[in-house]
């Protein structure tokens, strides 16, 4: 039994050493310095985008990471990284990404774009 207990701790310590850097406490809107519109956009992101896109990591999920999306000249698709192109992709979809036109109000889209500018 003691051998099993020692083995369990070894596995736990190994797991924490390997993946501990990836496990970070989620920062609050205030800690990120988000204004009210950006905070609303973060909630839209969490609801509709986070299952496929990372916000604060360069790691991709099912879709590319959105970290620094507006600091780049081009989107992963090669289109310019500007509000109009990003809005088009969100509303119309692209490749494996579905259209979010039916899911978002105009205000939610504006809030989401404001939030994406903070990434």
């Amino acid at each position: 039994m003691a051998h099993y207990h020692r083995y369990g701790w070894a596995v736990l310590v190994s797991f924490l050493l390997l993946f501990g850097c990836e496990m970070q406490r989620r920062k609050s809107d205030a800690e990120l310095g988000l204004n009210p519109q950006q905070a609303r956009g973060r909630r839209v992101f969490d609801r509709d985008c986070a299952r496929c896109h990372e916000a604060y990591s360069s790691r991709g999920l099912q879709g590319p990471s959105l970290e620094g999306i507006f600091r780049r000249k081009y989107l992963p698709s090669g289109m310019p990284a500007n509000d109009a192109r990003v809005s088009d992709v969100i509303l119309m979809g692209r490749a494996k990404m579905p259209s979010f036109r039916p899911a978002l109000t105009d205000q939610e889209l504006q809030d989401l774009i404001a939030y994406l500018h903070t990434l």
Side-chain angles (χ1 to χ4, degrees), residues 26-29 32-47 49-50 53-57 66-70 83 86 107-119:
R26 179 179 163 96
K27 291 184 179 180
S28 71
D29 295 344
L32 294 171
L34 302 181
N35 67 33
Q37 181 183 29
Q38 294 162 341
R40 289 189 308 269
R42 186 182 193 198
R43 289 191 294 278
V44 172
F45 182 91
D46 289 345
R47 181 189 75 204
C49 310
H53 299 281
E54 286 281 354
Y56 298 103
S57 170
L66 299 181
E67 180 181 46
I69 189 167
F70 285 112
D83 290 2
V86 172
Q107 185 62 58
E108 287 174 323
L109 178 61
Q110 291 172 21
D111 295 346
L112 178 57
I113 294 294
Y115 172 64
L116 293 176
H117 274 282
T118 71
L119 302 181

